[in-house]
Amino acid sequence: MINRMIEENGMVFQLFENQRTAILEIVLGAKDLKSIEIPTEIKCNDITYTITEIGKECFFEYYNLESVILPKNLLRISDYAFAYTNIKQITLPYTIEVIGFRSFCSTPLEHIQLPNNLNMLDEGVFSECQKLKKVEVGQNLGIISHYC
């Protein structure tokens, strides 16, 4: 059940009251953003919500975005979340389980380490990443879809 959407420091979150989790949906007025640190949790009405997902197209075509610090309890990076950004390097938290469709396509990523907890790479996650030279795969990765 979706309880509400809130905005904090220019970040819009979808809150799920039953699970006390949140999805980062969009960062307002930030197309020129070069770096961002996404909080691990946010508070609303004295309730703490854990950020567990980066929403669909959250940073899509943020061409200047070079650096992202992800929350430590992140479970999912949704479709196109970082597609067409300028991210060269990113550290995925050990908690990540799913990376969605074309999440990092057309980025200048050079190297990425996939944590052991990751169990699914959706289709085209690293498609068109022409500079990607090394992908270290965790031991529990079960599903690697087409064109990764």
Side-chain angles (χ1 to χ4, degrees):
M1 176 177 138
I2 298 172
N3 191 32
R4 66 176 60 126
M5 302 280 276
I6 65 162
E7 183 266 328
E8 184 174 303
N9 298 324
M11 294 183 223
V12 177
F13 297 94
Q14 185 178 108
L15 305 179
F16 296 85
E17 190 171 306
N18 290 346
Q19 297 95 355
R20 306 251 167 135
T21 61
I23 298 173
L24 174 60
E25 293 291 351
I26 195 165
V27 179
L28 300 173
K31 284 284 189 173
D32 292 328
L33 195 66
K34 285 194 171 238
S35 66
I36 189 167
E37 181 173 352
I38 301 166
T40 297
E41 52 190 34
I42 58 169
K43 280 194 174 196
C44 180
N45 298 330
D46 293 323
I47 299 172
T48 301
Y49 295 86
T50 302
I51 313 303
T52 59
E53 184 172 337
I54 307 299
K56 182 178 180 182
E57 299 180 3
C58 187
F59 295 99
F60 180 76
E61 294 183 344
Y62 280 46
Y63 297 113
N64 296 316
L65 186 62
E66 298 174 353
S67 172
V68 177
I69 298 175
L70 297 171
K72 66 180 180 181
N73 295 318
L74 193 67
L75 298 175
R76 181 182 182 87
I77 296 174
S78 294
D79 300 352
Y80 290 100
F82 296 103
Y84 303 97
T85 63
N86 199 26
I87 295 173
K88 294 179 181 88
Q89 178 181 346
I90 192 164
T91 301
L92 300 174
Y94 73 93
T95 54
I96 195 93
E97 296 174 350
V98 175
I99 300 178
F101 182 79
R102 296 180 64 93
S103 294
F104 291 98
C105 79
S106 291
T107 63
L109 272 173
E110 297 172 356
H111 169 261
I112 192 158
Q113 183 172 355
L114 304 176
N116 288 336
N117 212 39
L118 181 70
N119 58 45
M120 181 183 167
L121 283 177
D122 206 341
E123 188 172 324
V125 169
F126 303 115
S127 66
E128 301 173 40
C129 291
Q130 297 174 356
K131 295 186 178 185
L132 187 60
K133 293 185 176 31
K134 185 175 183 182
V135 177
E136 295 180 53
V137 179
Q139 61 189 7
N140 293 322
L141 185 57
I143 299 171
I144 301 175
S145 297
H146 299 290
Y147 310 112
C148 280

